[in-house]
Amino acid sequence: MDTVSPQIRSSIMSRIKQRDTGLEVQLRRALWKAGFRYRKNVRIFGTPDLVLARSKVLVFVDSCFWHGCKVHCRKPKSNTMFWETKISRNQIRDRKVAGYYRRRGVTVLRIWEHDIQANLDGCLMRVAQAVNRARAK
Ligand SMILES: [Zn+2]
């Protein structure tokens, strides 16, 4: 049995999500400083975190929890089925999004939040490489 009610559990999990966005902000600011121009909150399929429109690159920052990172995703001990279903649904959606854009010649870059935490410069490099490759197409 869970020690907290579903409502409280739900609010705990949504707070995890909010904390995660801090890493997305870090990446975004670093990209902007490095001269990348992007749009955020663009309401297109999959709702990417950043859209680098000119080079047709979409950046998704994946939360270790919500996207089921193999290293950091700790599923809550209670309602395990509920969370597993939710997370695996996200993963299926991620694959669908990847396929959708691949067919349209758009580059999809997925960056784990733990990569931003561990190596922000490395993440900048990945975006730079994706942009260069997309422009060379
Ligand atoms: Zn992770």
Side-chain angles (χ1 to χ4, degrees), residues 47-71:
T47 54
D49 291 293
L50 304 174
V51 175
L52 291 94
R54 251 177 298 168
S55 41
K56 287 193 180 176
V57 173
L58 308 179
V59 178
F60 293 81
V61 175
D62 286 345
S63 143
C64 290
F65 179 76
W66 292 104
H67 296 264
C69 159
K70 288 200 170 63
V71 189

